[in-house]
Amino acid sequence: MTRLVLVGPPGAGKGTQAEALSAKLSVPHISTGELFRAHVAQQTPLGKEAKRYLDSGELVPDTVTNEMVRERLTEPDAKAGFLLDGFPRNTKQAEVLESILAEQGTSLNAVIQLSVPEDVVVQRLMSRGRSDDTEEVIRRRQQVYLSDTAPLLNHYADVLITVDGVGEVDEVASRVLNALRARA
Ligand code: AMP
């Protein structure tokens, strides 16, 4: 079974790697950032609530985020596995994820940390051109990563796999797949 989480600072390449890996592993790529952006684009009530957080680089409140993830993870395609990108982003969310999985009688197989130096991360974000990629919001998202998300690396010490995230997409994806195989 393939129940995986990708962690790393904004700009580490989580979305890109999640795309590549979900194709190779045949599990859905579930990105909370993309789910939020779809809600914002469709102007749903959830999107209207989430927009100001995305625009400022803050985390959307846990109650909203956790409920959205719970619904997504109970869809049939996630039964055989998933690759979560951008969730959990704090220890409270990690606990909720554990309880969702426990209700299904499962747990995470691995948490993959993409390790990328800060200058590479900032360079990647500046060239990406997403609407929340202004210098100020980028800086705030990095701060939020350090204060709220980085503690997860300790939380997940037992299942953590750290992979060098610098390189071509396929090269990094191969590193992840090799590391997963080595663990299995
Ligand atoms: P991302 O696409 O992962 O860079 O996420 C973009 C934005 O969506 C973040 O800056 C947050 O505002 C919001 N977001 C994504 N995932 C989460 C999460 N797990 N918890 C709270 N907010 C999130």
Side-chain angles (χ1 to χ4, degrees), residues 32-33 36-37 54 58 60 65 86-87 89 93 130 141:
T32 42
F36 283 131
R37 282 187 288 279
L54 272 78
E58 303 296 332
V60 177
T65 307
F87 184 92
R89 255 185 164 86
Q93 292 182 2
R130 217 166 72 188
R141 297 213 313 274

Side-chain angles (χ1 to χ4, degrees), residues 59-82:
L59 294 186
V60 177
D62 286 347
T63 45
V64 177
T65 307
N66 291 336
E67 203 41 47
M68 183 177 77
V69 170
R70 181 184 290 277
E71 277 176 24
R72 181 65 188 87
L73 285 179
T74 50
E75 282 175 33
D77 67 335
K79 285 279 175 282
F82 52 77

Side-chain angles (χ1 to χ4, degrees), residues 78-116:
K79 285 279 175 282
F82 52 77
L83 188 52
L84 273 170
D85 152 19
F87 184 92
R89 255 185 164 86
N90 60 35
T91 37
K92 188 76 206 136
Q93 292 182 2
E95 285 162 14
V96 169
L97 176 59
E98 273 144 41
S99 73
I100 295 171
L101 295 179
E103 284 164 23
Q104 301 179 355
T106 61
S107 59
L108 286 179
N109 298 113
V111 173
I112 301 151
Q113 177 194 12
L114 290 178
S115 168
V116 178

Side-chain angles (χ1 to χ4, degrees), residues 123-138:
Q123 213 177 349
R124 282 184 185 172
L125 291 173
M126 295 304 285
S127 62
R128 190 166 71 173
R130 217 166 72 188
S131 66
D132 59 347
D133 285 340
T134 62
E135 198 180 331
E136 189 190 346
V137 178
I138 287 174

